[in-house]
Amino acid sequence: MPPEKHVFRAGDSPGQGSMHQQGGKTVFRADGGKSEKRARKEPAPEKAPAPHREPAPRAPKPRPAKPQKAPAPARAASPWPARRRKNRAPLIVLGSLLALLVVCLAGWALDVPGRLAGLTLPGGSSSSATVQEGKDWPAMVGDRLVSEKPEKVVSLSPMVTEALLSLPGHEALCAVTEYCDTRSTGLATVGTPLLPRTEDIIALAPDYVLCQTPLAGPVQTELEQAGVEVIQLDTPADLAGLREFYGQLGALLGGNETGRALGYGVIDRLESTLAAYNAALPDKASALLLPDLTGLAATADTAEWTLLGQVFRHPLPDAADWLAGAECLTDEDAENDLDQIRAADPDVLLVANTVSPEDLSAALGDLRAVQNGAVVYVDLRLTETLSPRLVFAIADAAALAYPEFAPAS
């Protein structure tokens, strides 16, 4: 049997009262001592006297009030605001450092290394915009008014094919030429730009045939009699023309407003990357583009130089219409005339990827670019079509010409 528990209530005096059993406990109950003591301690309230009532045989004892603590000083009573104020100075310093870091990173992103490190393909899958069908029709494309988005399009131009493949909605492209980009592999081929196979085109029943070179009269007539419309686009000669070229093809696929903006955006992204080089390169290195080893080289007035000229200077700025082009094409001598290229001696060479390093070294091994390994092999279809993807070859060539701007590996 557990021992008895004696419980004394607060304020009870053990000297007066009696012991009682309550709930299995022995409880000491005072005989009025506590009440008399509280009556002596508490002053009478300053109120009007209450009406006289007969006292109850036994008044219940009031619960003792909890003792009130003395108010603590203000700092101890609410320490958090003061503590926050005390720690605010380190936070301000940390915030300032973070802001400075953000500014530095923003400046670094505008520099060439940042541009190269984050280089992505302009247009194509990198474009986040979507074509909104039924919003922008009819649309002007070339000299034609297109009433709605075409379901099938045939390209008779490698440049048109390159542009279409860089734009949303390029699924409408159903046939290309034999000279078009390998990314179009799997599509039907319908001959060459100058000699298209009209019967194959008509069998595909396209809405439009796109070209840059005017079609021969009989070809044009046969297509039109079969209900196939032909749209001829001007060949761009500079970045402004290239931007308009992509804008018109964007309008064909996505409408006069939405699609045109998508086309412009592809070239705008390319131009901003090239502009970053221009801003960072006070002295440009010289470069030459060689399609082969016959003595040909792109001059500063060619379409192929349109993009390269944003990053490099031409070693022979007065040369026009391709270096030694006419002589080399008619020269029957087995020895190619490469004297002008040797005299130019550029800092960087961009050479067609059909030329082997061994052949280049044998023909032009005395050039500084060859001796220093400053050679970039390029798919010439990118230069011939002024493809935005040419920016990758330009970046490679710039890394060789300007090692101080090359991204860290």
Coordinates of all heavy atoms in Angstrom, one line a residue, residues 191-256:
G191 N 16.1 17.5 -107.7 CA 17.1 18.1 -108.7 C 17.9 19.2 -108.1 O 18.2 19.2 -106.9
T192 N 18.4 20.1 -108.9 CA 19.2 21.2 -108.5 C 18.5 22.5 -108.7 O 17.4 22.6 -109.3 CB 20.5 21.2 -109.4 OG1 20.1 21.6 -110.8 CG2 21.2 19.9 -109.4
P193 N 19.1 23.6 -108.1 CA 18.4 24.9 -108.2 C 18.2 25.3 -109.7 O 17.1 25.9 -110.0 CB 19.4 25.9 -107.5 CG 20.1 25.0 -106.6 CD 20.3 23.7 -107.2
L194 N 19.1 25.0 -110.6 CA 18.9 25.4 -112.0 C 18.2 24.4 -112.8 O 17.6 24.8 -113.9 CB 20.3 25.7 -112.6 CG 21.1 26.9 -112.0 CD1 22.4 27.0 -112.7 CD2 20.3 28.2 -112.2
L195 N 18.2 23.1 -112.4 CA 17.6 22.1 -113.2 C 16.7 21.3 -112.2 O 16.9 20.1 -112.0 CB 18.6 21.2 -113.8 CG 19.5 21.8 -114.9 CD1 20.6 20.9 -115.4 CD2 18.7 22.3 -116.1
P196 N 15.6 21.8 -111.8 CA 14.7 21.1 -110.9 C 13.8 20.1 -111.7 O 13.6 20.4 -112.9 CB 13.8 22.2 -110.3 CG 13.8 23.3 -111.3 CD 15.1 23.2 -111.9
R197 N 13.4 19.0 -111.1 CA 12.6 18.0 -111.8 C 11.1 18.4 -111.5 O 10.6 18.1 -110.5 CB 12.9 16.6 -111.3 CG 14.3 16.2 -111.6 CD 14.5 14.7 -111.4 NE 14.3 14.4 -110.0 CZ 15.3 14.4 -109.1 NH1 16.5 14.7 -109.4 NH2 15.0 14.0 -107.8
T198 N 10.5 19.0 -112.5 CA 9.2 19.6 -112.3 C 8.1 18.4 -112.0 O 7.2 18.6 -111.2 CB 8.7 20.4 -113.5 OG1 8.9 19.6 -114.7 CG2 9.5 21.6 -113.6
E199 N 8.3 17.3 -112.7 CA 7.4 16.2 -112.4 C 7.4 15.7 -111.0 O 6.3 15.4 -110.4 CB 7.6 15.0 -113.4 CG 9.0 14.3 -113.2 CD 10.1 15.0 -113.9 OE1 9.9 16.1 -114.4 OE2 11.2 14.4 -114.0
D200 N 8.6 15.7 -110.4 CA 8.6 15.3 -109.0 C 8.0 16.4 -108.1 O 7.4 16.0 -107.0 CB 10.1 15.1 -108.6 CG 10.7 13.9 -109.3 OD1 9.9 13.1 -109.8 OD2 11.9 13.7 -109.2
I201 N 8.2 17.6 -108.4 CA 7.6 18.7 -107.6 C 6.1 18.6 -107.7 O 5.4 18.7 -106.7 CB 8.1 20.1 -108.1 CG1 9.6 20.2 -107.8 CG2 7.4 21.2 -107.3 CD1 10.3 21.4 -108.4
I202 N 5.6 18.5 -108.9 CA 4.1 18.5 -109.1 C 3.5 17.3 -108.3 O 2.4 17.4 -107.8 CB 3.8 18.5 -110.6 CG1 4.2 19.8 -111.2 CG2 2.3 18.2 -110.8 CD1 4.1 19.8 -112.7
A203 N 4.2 16.2 -108.3 CA 3.7 15.0 -107.6 C 3.5 15.2 -106.1 O 2.7 14.6 -105.5 CB 4.6 13.8 -107.9
L204 N 4.4 16.1 -105.6 CA 4.3 16.3 -104.1 C 3.1 17.3 -103.8 O 2.7 17.4 -102.7 CB 5.6 17.0 -103.6 CG 6.8 16.0 -103.6 CD1 8.1 16.8 -103.4 CD2 6.6 15.0 -102.5
A205 N 2.6 18.0 -104.8 CA 1.5 18.9 -104.6 C 1.8 20.0 -103.6 O 1.0 20.1 -102.6 CB 0.2 18.2 -104.4
P206 N 2.9 20.7 -103.6 CA 3.2 21.7 -102.6 C 2.4 22.9 -102.8 O 1.8 23.2 -103.9 CB 4.7 22.0 -102.8 CG 4.9 21.8 -104.3 CD 3.9 20.6 -104.7
D207 N 2.2 23.7 -101.7 CA 1.6 25.0 -101.8 C 2.5 26.0 -102.5 O 2.0 26.9 -103.3 CB 1.2 25.5 -100.4 CG 0.2 24.5 -99.7 OD1 -0.9 24.4 -100.2 OD2 0.6 24.0 -98.7
Y208 N 3.8 26.0 -102.2 CA 4.7 27.0 -102.7 C 6.0 26.3 -103.1 O 6.5 25.4 -102.4 CB 4.9 28.1 -101.8 CG 3.7 28.9 -101.4 CD1 3.0 28.7 -100.3 CD2 3.2 29.9 -102.3 CE1 1.8 29.4 -100.0 CE2 2.1 30.6 -102.0 CZ 1.4 30.3 -100.9 OH 0.2 31.0 -100.6
V209 N 6.7 26.8 -104.1 CA 8.1 26.5 -104.4 C 8.9 27.8 -104.2 O 8.6 28.8 -104.7 CB 8.2 26.0 -105.9 CG1 9.7 25.9 -106.2 CG2 7.6 24.7 -106.0
L210 N 9.9 27.7 -103.4 CA 10.8 28.8 -103.0 C 12.1 28.8 -103.7 O 12.7 27.7 -103.8 CB 11.0 28.9 -101.5 CG 9.7 28.9 -100.6 CD1 10.1 28.8 -99.2 CD2 8.9 30.2 -100.8
C211 N 12.5 29.9 -104.3 CA 13.8 29.9 -105.0 C 14.4 31.3 -104.9 O 13.8 32.2 -104.4 CB 13.6 29.6 -106.5 SG 12.6 30.8 -107.4
Q212 N 15.7 31.4 -105.2 CA 16.4 32.7 -105.3 C 16.8 33.0 -106.7 O 16.7 34.1 -107.2 CB 17.6 32.6 -104.4 CG 17.3 32.6 -102.9 CD 18.6 32.5 -102.1 OE1 19.0 31.5 -101.8 NE2 19.1 33.7 -101.7
T213 N 17.2 32.0 -107.4 CA 17.5 32.1 -108.9 C 16.3 32.0 -109.7 O 15.5 31.1 -109.5 CB 18.5 31.1 -109.3 OG1 19.7 31.1 -108.5 CG2 18.9 31.3 -110.8
P214 N 16.0 32.9 -110.6 CA 14.8 32.8 -111.4 C 14.7 31.5 -112.2 O 15.7 31.0 -112.7 CB 14.9 34.0 -112.4 CG 15.8 34.9 -111.7 CD 16.8 34.1 -110.9
L215 N 13.6 30.8 -112.2 CA 13.4 29.6 -112.9 C 13.3 29.8 -114.4 O 12.9 30.9 -114.8 CB 12.2 28.9 -112.4 CG 12.1 28.5 -110.9 CD1 10.8 27.8 -110.5 CD2 13.3 27.6 -110.5
A216 N 13.7 28.8 -115.1 CA 13.6 28.9 -116.5 C 12.1 29.0 -116.9 O 11.2 28.5 -116.2 CB 14.2 27.6 -117.2
G217 N 11.9 29.7 -118.0 CA 10.5 29.9 -118.4 C 9.6 28.7 -118.5 O 8.5 28.7 -117.9
P218 N 10.0 27.6 -119.2 CA 9.2 26.4 -119.3 C 8.9 25.8 -117.9 O 7.8 25.3 -117.6 CB 10.0 25.5 -120.1 CG 10.9 26.4 -120.9 CD 11.2 27.5 -120.1
V219 N 9.9 25.8 -117.0 CA 9.7 25.3 -115.6 C 8.7 26.1 -114.9 O 7.8 25.6 -114.3 CB 11.1 25.3 -114.9 CG1 10.8 24.8 -113.4 CG2 12.1 24.3 -115.6
Q220 N 8.8 27.4 -114.9 CA 7.9 28.3 -114.3 C 6.4 28.1 -114.8 O 5.5 27.9 -114.0 CB 8.3 29.8 -114.5 CG 7.4 30.8 -113.8 CD 7.9 31.2 -112.5 OE1 9.0 31.0 -112.1 NE2 7.0 31.8 -111.7
T221 N 6.3 28.0 -116.1 CA 5.0 27.8 -116.7 C 4.4 26.5 -116.3 O 3.2 26.4 -116.0 CB 5.1 27.9 -118.2 OG1 5.7 29.2 -118.6 CG2 3.7 27.7 -118.9
E222 N 5.2 25.4 -116.3 CA 4.7 24.1 -116.0 C 4.2 24.0 -114.6 O 3.1 23.4 -114.3 CB 5.8 23.1 -116.3 CG 5.3 21.6 -116.2 CD 6.3 20.6 -116.5 OE1 7.4 21.0 -117.0 OE2 6.1 19.4 -116.3
L223 N 4.9 24.7 -113.7 CA 4.5 24.6 -112.3 C 3.2 25.4 -112.0 O 2.3 25.0 -111.3 CB 5.6 25.2 -111.4 CG 6.9 24.3 -111.2 CD1 8.0 25.0 -110.4 CD2 6.6 23.0 -110.6
E224 N 3.2 26.6 -112.7 CA 2.0 27.4 -112.5 C 0.7 26.8 -113.1 O -0.4 26.9 -112.5 CB 2.2 28.8 -113.1 CG 3.2 29.6 -112.3 CD 3.5 31.0 -113.0 OE1 3.0 31.2 -114.1 OE2 4.1 31.8 -112.3
Q225 N 0.9 26.1 -114.2 CA -0.3 25.4 -114.8 C -0.7 24.3 -113.9 O -1.9 23.9 -114.0 CB 0.1 24.9 -116.2 CG 0.3 26.0 -117.3 CD 0.7 25.4 -118.6 OE1 1.1 24.2 -118.7 NE2 0.6 26.2 -119.6
A226 N 0.2 23.7 -113.1 CA -0.2 22.6 -112.2 C -0.7 23.2 -110.9 O -1.1 22.4 -110.0 CB 1.0 21.7 -111.9
G227 N -0.9 24.5 -110.8 CA -1.4 25.1 -109.6 C -0.4 25.3 -108.5 O -0.8 25.5 -107.3
V228 N 0.9 25.2 -108.8 CA 2.0 25.4 -107.8 C 2.5 26.8 -107.9 O 3.0 27.2 -109.0 CB 3.1 24.4 -108.0 CG1 4.2 24.6 -106.9 CG2 2.6 23.0 -107.8
E229 N 2.4 27.6 -106.9 CA 2.9 29.0 -106.9 C 4.4 29.0 -106.6 O 4.9 28.3 -105.8 CB 2.2 29.9 -105.9 CG 0.7 30.1 -106.2 CD 0.1 31.2 -105.3 OE1 0.6 32.3 -105.4 OE2 -0.9 30.9 -104.6
V230 N 5.1 29.9 -107.3 CA 6.6 30.1 -107.1 C 6.8 31.4 -106.4 O 6.3 32.5 -106.9 CB 7.3 30.0 -108.4 CG1 8.8 30.2 -108.2 CG2 7.0 28.7 -109.1
I231 N 7.6 31.4 -105.4 CA 8.0 32.7 -104.7 C 9.5 32.8 -104.8 O 10.3 31.9 -104.4 CB 7.6 32.6 -103.2 CG1 6.1 32.5 -103.0 CG2 8.1 33.9 -102.5 CD1 5.6 32.4 -101.6
Q232 N 9.9 33.9 -105.4 CA 11.4 34.2 -105.5 C 11.8 35.2 -104.5 O 11.2 36.3 -104.4 CB 11.7 34.7 -106.9 CG 13.2 34.9 -107.1 CD 13.5 35.4 -108.5 OE1 12.8 35.2 -109.4 NE2 14.7 36.1 -108.6
L233 N 12.9 34.9 -103.7 CA 13.4 35.8 -102.7 C 14.7 36.4 -103.1 O 15.5 35.7 -103.7 CB 13.5 35.1 -101.4 CG 12.2 34.5 -100.7 CD1 12.6 33.7 -99.5 CD2 11.3 35.6 -100.4
D234 N 14.9 37.6 -102.8 CA 16.2 38.3 -103.1 C 17.3 37.7 -102.3 O 17.1 37.3 -101.1 CB 16.1 39.8 -102.9 CG 15.2 40.5 -103.8 OD1 15.0 39.9 -104.9 OD2 14.6 41.5 -103.4
T235 N 18.5 37.5 -102.8 CA 19.7 37.1 -102.1 C 20.3 38.2 -101.3 O 20.6 39.2 -101.8 CB 20.8 36.5 -103.1 OG1 20.2 35.5 -103.9 CG2 22.0 36.0 -102.3
P236 N 20.4 38.0 -99.9 CA 20.9 39.0 -99.1 C 22.4 39.3 -99.3 O 23.2 38.3 -99.6 CB 20.7 38.5 -97.7 CG 20.6 37.0 -97.8 CD 20.1 36.8 -99.2
A237 N 22.8 40.5 -99.2 CA 24.2 40.9 -99.4 C 24.9 41.4 -98.1 O 26.1 41.6 -98.1 CB 24.3 42.0 -100.5
D238 N 24.1 41.6 -97.1 CA 24.7 42.0 -95.8 C 23.8 41.6 -94.7 O 22.8 40.9 -94.9 CB 24.8 43.6 -95.8 CG 23.5 44.3 -96.2 OD1 22.4 43.7 -96.0 OD2 23.6 45.4 -96.7
L239 N 24.1 42.0 -93.4 CA 23.3 41.5 -92.3 C 21.9 42.1 -92.3 O 20.9 41.3 -91.9 CB 24.0 41.9 -91.0 CG 25.0 41.0 -90.5 CD1 25.8 41.5 -89.3 CD2 24.4 39.6 -90.1
A240 N 21.7 43.3 -92.8 CA 20.3 43.8 -92.9 C 19.5 43.0 -93.9 O 18.3 42.7 -93.6 CB 20.4 45.3 -93.3
G241 N 20.1 42.7 -95.0 CA 19.4 41.9 -96.0 C 19.1 40.5 -95.5 O 18.1 39.9 -95.7
L242 N 20.1 39.9 -94.7 CA 19.9 38.6 -94.1 C 18.8 38.6 -93.1 O 18.0 37.6 -93.1 CB 21.2 38.1 -93.5 CG 21.2 36.7 -93.0 CD1 21.1 35.7 -94.2 CD2 22.5 36.4 -92.2
R243 N 18.6 39.7 -92.4 CA 17.6 39.8 -91.4 C 16.2 39.8 -92.1 O 15.3 39.2 -91.6 CB 17.8 41.0 -90.5 CG 16.8 41.2 -89.4 CD 17.2 42.4 -88.5 NE 16.4 42.5 -87.3 CZ 15.3 43.2 -87.2 NH1 14.8 43.8 -88.3 NH2 14.6 43.2 -86.1
E244 N 16.1 40.6 -93.2 CA 14.8 40.6 -93.9 C 14.5 39.3 -94.6 O 13.4 38.9 -94.6 CB 14.9 41.7 -94.9 CG 13.7 41.9 -95.8 CD 12.4 42.2 -95.0 OE1 12.5 42.8 -93.9 OE2 11.3 41.9 -95.5
F245 N 15.6 38.6 -95.0 CA 15.4 37.3 -95.6 C 14.8 36.3 -94.6 O 13.8 35.6 -95.0 CB 16.8 36.8 -96.1 CG 16.7 35.5 -96.9 CD1 16.5 35.5 -98.2 CD2 17.1 34.3 -96.2 CE1 16.5 34.3 -98.9 CE2 17.1 33.1 -97.0 CZ 16.8 33.1 -98.3
Y246 N 15.3 36.3 -93.4 CA 14.7 35.4 -92.4 C 13.3 35.9 -91.9 O 12.5 35.1 -91.6 CB 15.7 35.3 -91.2 CG 16.7 34.2 -91.4 CD1 17.8 34.3 -92.3 CD2 16.7 33.1 -90.6 CE1 18.7 33.3 -92.4 CE2 17.6 32.1 -90.7 CZ 18.6 32.2 -91.7 OH 19.6 31.2 -91.8
G247 N 13.1 37.2 -91.9 CA 11.8 37.7 -91.6 C 10.7 37.3 -92.5 O 9.6 36.9 -92.1
Q248 N 11.0 37.3 -93.8 CA 10.0 36.9 -94.8 C 9.7 35.4 -94.7 O 8.6 35.0 -94.8 CB 10.5 37.2 -96.2 CG 10.6 38.7 -96.5 CD 10.5 39.1 -98.0 OE1 9.7 38.5 -98.7 NE2 11.4 40.0 -98.4
L249 N 10.7 34.6 -94.5 CA 10.5 33.1 -94.4 C 9.8 32.8 -93.1 O 8.9 31.9 -93.0 CB 11.8 32.4 -94.5 CG 12.4 32.4 -95.9 CD1 13.8 31.7 -95.8 CD2 11.5 31.6 -96.9
G250 N 10.1 33.6 -92.1 CA 9.3 33.5 -90.8 C 7.8 33.8 -91.0 O 6.9 33.2 -90.5
A251 N 7.6 34.9 -91.8 CA 6.2 35.3 -92.1 C 5.5 34.2 -92.9 O 4.3 33.9 -92.7 CB 6.2 36.6 -92.9
L252 N 6.2 33.5 -93.8 CA 5.6 32.4 -94.5 C 5.1 31.3 -93.6 O 4.0 30.7 -93.8 CB 6.6 31.8 -95.5 CG 6.2 30.5 -96.3 CD1 5.1 30.9 -97.3 CD2 7.4 29.9 -97.0
L253 N 5.9 30.9 -92.6 CA 5.6 29.8 -91.7 C 4.7 30.2 -90.5 O 4.0 29.4 -90.0 CB 6.9 29.2 -91.2 CG 7.8 28.6 -92.2 CD1 9.1 28.1 -91.5 CD2 7.2 27.5 -93.0
G254 N 4.8 31.5 -90.1 CA 4.1 31.8 -88.9 C 3.2 33.1 -88.9 O 2.6 33.5 -87.9
G255 N 3.2 33.8 -90.1 CA 2.3 34.9 -90.1 C 3.1 36.2 -90.2 O 4.3 36.3 -89.9
N256 N 2.4 37.3 -90.6 CA 3.0 38.6 -90.9 C 3.6 39.2 -89.6 O 4.6 40.0 -89.8 CB 2.0 39.5 -91.5 CG 2.6 40.4 -92.6 OD1 3.6 40.0 -93.2 ND2 2.1 41.6 -92.7

